[in-house]
Amino acid sequence: MHLATKVLLASLPLGLLLAPAATVGDTTGDFHTGATLICSDCHVMHASQQHGYNPDGSGFFLTPDTTPHEYLLRAEVNDLCLSCHDQSSVAPDVLDANGGKYPGIVRNAGFLNRDGVIGQPATGHTLDTLDTAPGGTWKPEDDNGTGHGLNCVNCHNQHGYAGGVNTYRNMKMDPGGTGFAYAQVTYAIGTNNLALDVFETAANSYDFNDINYNEPDTNASTYGKWCGGCHTNFYGAPGGTEVGGVATGSAYEEFHRHPVAGVDIGALGGGHSSLAVFAGHTNHVKVMSASGVWDGSAADITPSCMSCHKSHGNGNAFGLIWMSGTGTITENGDTDATQKEALCGQCHVQGS
Amino acid sequence: MSLLLATLAVPLLLAPPQEPVRPARPRAGLGGGFPAAGPRAGGWHHGDNLVCSDCHTTHNSLHGQPMRYDGVAEPADNLLRMGSPTELCLYCHDGTDPAAPDVLEPVSYVADPAGGWFTGGAGVPNDHGHDLRPASPLQAPGSSESFSLECSSCHDVHGNSNYRNLLFDPPGSADNGNVVVVVDELVSANGSNPAQVYVPANLKDRSGMGEFCNSCHDNFHGKTAGEEGGASRPWLRHPNEETIFGKDHADYSHWAGPITNRVRVETPTDDIVPSSDDRVTCLSCHKAHGSGRVDSLIYADGLRRLSTCQQCHNQ
């Protein structure tokens, strides 16, 4: 073992004890963690089950496949997750049309498609795809093994995190094999905490209107960094190699990739972004705010990955959010938008 | 020649059935008064504690009255004092005899008997454990075979040197009668102390229980692709006889911490639990007879099956 590795491993327990979650809040993922982490939801000890877990044999259980699966799973990962998370009344739906537990909501994360099964492959994250992540070198087979494409647990920690470690949606802290605690996306439920990355207004809410994004560090985006775990070149500080940018006064311009942190909307004015344009819309894309005010009435709002893309995807290419600012909000943006440029027009003055 | 053969045959006929040799095993750090390894009786109904008349009656007659416990005048098969082996066992082990460990729900002699209990008596179906004398044979989970379980399906009624007189050749076994279950106990049965003997705290599981259970539940134990899977790949079924220590998906530091209601594990090389030799076994999650929980599961905290999983996994 390399000395550096030994040192790293030796330091891990201490690092765990000092994990930032201990100071920023004790909220773990809304589900599949703590008391809602039900082993038998996903695992079956002997690849055999004829009845449920209630004393009379009743109760919900997923019939395990007749062929045993590794890790004692009841089915392969995506099939297993989707058995509850696709067209099932027991859990939020994440694949294609929303027929799940909350059918009336606009899913903040949008929806996935599945390679060769349902949906269009260019519309967001594609389950089972073997493709390399755009902007990076990570590919699903790196984590899942040869022939195994993108799956749910590449992004979500299926067991949550023990010890009260706070991660929004059980998002993994090491996406794309980035290593221990590369990005911990923290969140608050019910009452906002500006020191945390995400504010969910009510527990177990997946609705667009209930999710907002704080900006604890005005020079960074933990959420953006998390996406950068796989999409390596798409996240970085202004002026850095990933997004570029030239310092102009207290702001930046001349980026070579769109910034996803450290740039307030309207900071430079002119032909750049406009706070007034953003504030003038009725429907707003998601932005980060250090003060917890997201409608453009405060000058501290910053775009990040979630401003333009649904994390799961939607009906548009790249999971882009076509949001004109008026009409009814949908998972694709809003009903008045007719082209992707509506999204750019959320912040930019050109063409307006 | 004929004389010699005849001479040889006599001792062969008179020799008791040969029992498997209990294997020697390393015993580092023994302490706490647990007996040293070596052949011993199964606890009761063996050796000096095997009392023929407890179970048999030669003529079913004493002073003109039946000797069967149920008072039936008709003699029973095998000279038994009840109509069937299981009914006979339950005559004493149903809680009415304080000297005999109760195996039928409700159990009152201890709160947590090591073997658990059967819900209902013979012929009463239940999902909480093994069915005694079901109306028709039941397929054992993990097996294509069906069985009509009696007490004697698992226990040698005349005793042997196995733990709890467990059979060396349980039904379905392809082990040629060499299934050795090794469990040491601090206090041995003396005919009046079930509350001290038949409790988890009195026991140190060493080895063999997985193999015993596997005799009927064929696919649930073993390191082949049709069973638990191979050690070089993620498990297909929950492994048995694998240490908690050093496993990627177990949290030994949690197991070694201050856990309450700790489940049973095998501790093959020392008497210390928790320690690095602790191995998960069937009885870590299940009670042998039944538990009042579905599938005879143990809820370590008394409320949730998750609490049992968490003792080792801490997810």
Side-chain angles (χ1 to χ4, degrees):
Chain A
M1 184 181 293
H2 191 277
L3 178 60
T5 307
K6 286 183 178 178
V7 172
L8 174 62
L9 289 175
S11 68
L12 283 179
L14 179 60
L16 282 168
L17 289 172
L18 298 176
T23 57
V24 297
D26 60 359
T27 304
T28 57
D30 285 11
F31 211 83
H32 295 306
T33 183
T36 57
L37 180 65
I38 310 299
C39 311
S40 57
D41 281 352
C42 303
H43 299 282
V44 58
M45 296 302 100
H46 309 297
S48 170
Q49 187 166 6
Q50 283 82 43
H51 55 74
Y53 290 98
N54 293 330
D56 63 358
S58 65
F60 170 80
F61 72 100
L62 294 170
T63 302
D65 286 351
T66 53
T67 302
H69 293 276
E70 292 179 343
Y71 302 106
L72 319 184
L73 293 176
R74 291 174 180 270
E76 284 301 299
V77 172
N78 287 336
D79 291 337
L80 180 59
C81 298
L82 292 174
S83 60
C84 288
H85 288 284
D86 179 33
Q87 303 296 312
S88 168
S89 62
V90 302
D93 191 323
V94 300
L95 182 70
D96 206 68
N98 187 358
K101 185 175 183 179
Y102 310 108
I105 69 170
V106 174
R107 292 168 291 187
N108 188 55
F111 51 90
L112 299 158
N113 65 83
R114 192 168 190 189
D115 193 27
V117 176
I118 194 166
Q120 298 296 317
T123 56
H125 282 114
T126 301
L127 293 176
D128 297 331
T129 183
L130 298 173
D131 292 349
T132 299
T137 59
W138 182 86
K139 57 185 184 303
E141 288 180 311
D142 294 343
D143 282 1
N144 305 340
T146 303
H148 296 282
L150 186 69
N151 67 37
C152 306
V153 299
N154 290 137
C155 297
H156 299 278
N157 184 342
Q158 67 275 28
H159 295 136
Y161 284 96
V165 174
N166 178 315
T167 62
Y168 175 63
R169 300 284 187 257
N170 293 328
M171 289 162 68
K172 294 180 69 172
M173 293 197 287
D174 57 345
T178 44
F180 177 75
Y182 162 81
Q184 181 184 2
V185 181
T186 58
Y187 79 120
I189 298 176
T191 301
N192 197 10
N193 180 343
L194 295 174
L196 306 181
D197 299 302
V198 182
F199 172 40
E200 184 181 74
T201 58
N204 293 306
S205 180
Y206 305 90
D207 191 287
F208 177 86
N209 292 314
D210 294 339
I211 310 298
N212 293 289
Y213 299 87
N214 296 319
E215 193 180 16
D217 180 348
T218 56
N219 293 312
S221 166
T222 308
Y223 198 102
K225 183 182 180 186
W226 186 88
C227 300
C230 296
H231 304 286
T232 315
N233 295 334
F234 296 173
Y235 174 78
T241 57
E242 292 88 0
V243 302
V246 176
T248 303
S250 61
Y252 285 84
E253 61 181 348
E254 299 182 29
F255 294 100
H256 55 241
R257 289 189 176 95
H258 196 287
V260 287
V263 177
D264 288 340
I265 293 173
L268 287 182
H272 302 92
S273 60
S274 166
L275 186 62
V277 166
F278 184 85
H281 298 306
T282 301
N283 304 331
H284 300 110
V285 296
K286 299 297 181 183
V287 289
M288 301 185 298
S289 169
S291 61
V293 179
W294 299 279
D295 63 0
S297 59
D300 63 358
I301 56 174
T302 303
S304 193
C305 309
M306 82 295 283
S307 302
C308 301
H309 303 274
K310 291 286 191 182
S311 55
H312 284 166
N314 60 15
N316 299 326
F318 306 108
L320 287 172
I321 301 163
W322 295 12
M323 184 169 281
S324 68
T326 59
T328 302
I329 293 175
T330 69
E331 290 169 347
N332 290 335
D334 60 30
T335 53
D336 284 355
T338 58
Q339 57 186 9
K340 62 183 182 297
E341 283 68 26
L343 170 61
C344 309
Q346 280 275 315
C347 304
H348 294 281
V349 299
Q350 290 86 346
S352 62
Chain B
M1 178 65 78
S2 297
L3 179 61
L4 174 61
L5 288 176
T7 305
L8 284 174
V10 171
L12 282 172
L13 286 171
L14 296 177
Q18 189 167 5
E19 293 182 344
V21 176
R22 179 173 163 145
R25 55 200 162 76
R27 298 294 300 278
L30 281 176
F34 281 90
R40 77 168 66 82
W44 202 254
H45 298 306
H46 186 64
D48 291 343
N49 297 319
L50 180 64
V51 181
C52 307
S53 58
D54 280 353
C55 304
H56 298 285
T57 171
T58 311
H59 309 293
N60 193 28
S61 175
L62 181 66
H63 306 306
Q65 297 298 313
M67 280 191 70
R68 283 180 53 160
Y69 293 126
D70 55 8
V72 174
E74 186 73 16
D77 291 345
N78 299 311
L79 317 184
L80 295 180
R81 297 186 69 175
M82 288 288 277
S84 72
T86 293
E87 289 173 297
L88 178 63
C89 299
L90 294 178
Y91 180 76
C92 291
H93 291 282
D94 65 350
T96 56
D97 182 351
D102 183 3
V103 300
L104 283 187
E105 186 184 29
V107 170
S108 58
Y109 76 101
V110 289
D112 181 28
W117 56 78
F118 298 97
T119 299
V124 179
N126 78 90
D127 286 325
H128 301 172
H130 283 113
D131 289 79
L132 283 175
R133 300 198 75 209
S136 57
L138 297 174
Q139 184 172 334
S143 171
S144 58
E145 294 183 85
S146 297
F147 304 94
S148 291
L149 282 185
E150 303 267 2
C151 302
S152 56
S153 299
C154 296
H155 299 278
D156 186 336
V157 295
H158 294 135
N160 61 25
S161 62
N162 245 351
Y163 169 67
R164 299 287 182 258
N165 295 324
L166 291 172
L167 291 167
F168 292 117
D169 55 349
S173 171
D175 296 293
N176 301 316
N178 58 1
V179 179
V180 178
V181 181
V182 183
V183 180
D184 290 332
E185 56 186 9
L186 187 62
V187 179
S188 296
N190 63 14
S192 64
N193 60 347
Q196 286 75 53
V197 175
Y198 303 101
V199 290
N202 186 46
L203 307 172
K204 294 296 181 190
D205 297 83
R206 306 300 187 187
S207 63
M209 190 59 74
E211 187 181 3
F212 181 86
C213 301
N214 188 58
S215 298
C216 293
H217 304 285
D218 302 307
N219 295 337
F220 291 177
H221 178 46
K223 299 296 186 281
T224 71
E227 299 165 312
E228 298 165 4
S232 62
R233 295 289 302 166
W235 299 109
L236 298 170
R237 292 183 170 91
H238 198 288
N240 204 307
E241 297 174 348
E242 289 288 330
T243 60
I244 300 166
F245 179 80
K247 294 298 186 295
D248 289 343
H249 297 285
D251 184 345
Y252 177 76
S253 63
H254 183 263
W255 169 254
I259 291 176
T260 56
N261 299 327
R262 193 181 297 277
V263 297
R264 284 173 76 173
V265 290
E266 290 183 342
T267 177
T269 61
D270 61 37
D271 283 349
I272 302 167
V273 176
S275 65
S276 60
D277 71 329
D278 297 348
R279 308 189 304 193
V280 66
T281 179
C282 304
L283 300 185
S284 302
C285 303
H286 302 277
K287 290 284 190 181
H289 291 161
S291 68
R293 310 289 187 187
V294 69
D295 291 335
S296 198
L297 285 170
I298 295 167
Y299 289 12
D301 67 356
L303 300 172
R304 305 169 303 151
R305 63 182 180 279
L306 171 69
S307 64
T308 300
C309 310
Q310 295 290 48
Q311 290 210 353
C312 298
H313 294 284
N314 188 34
Q315 294 289 349

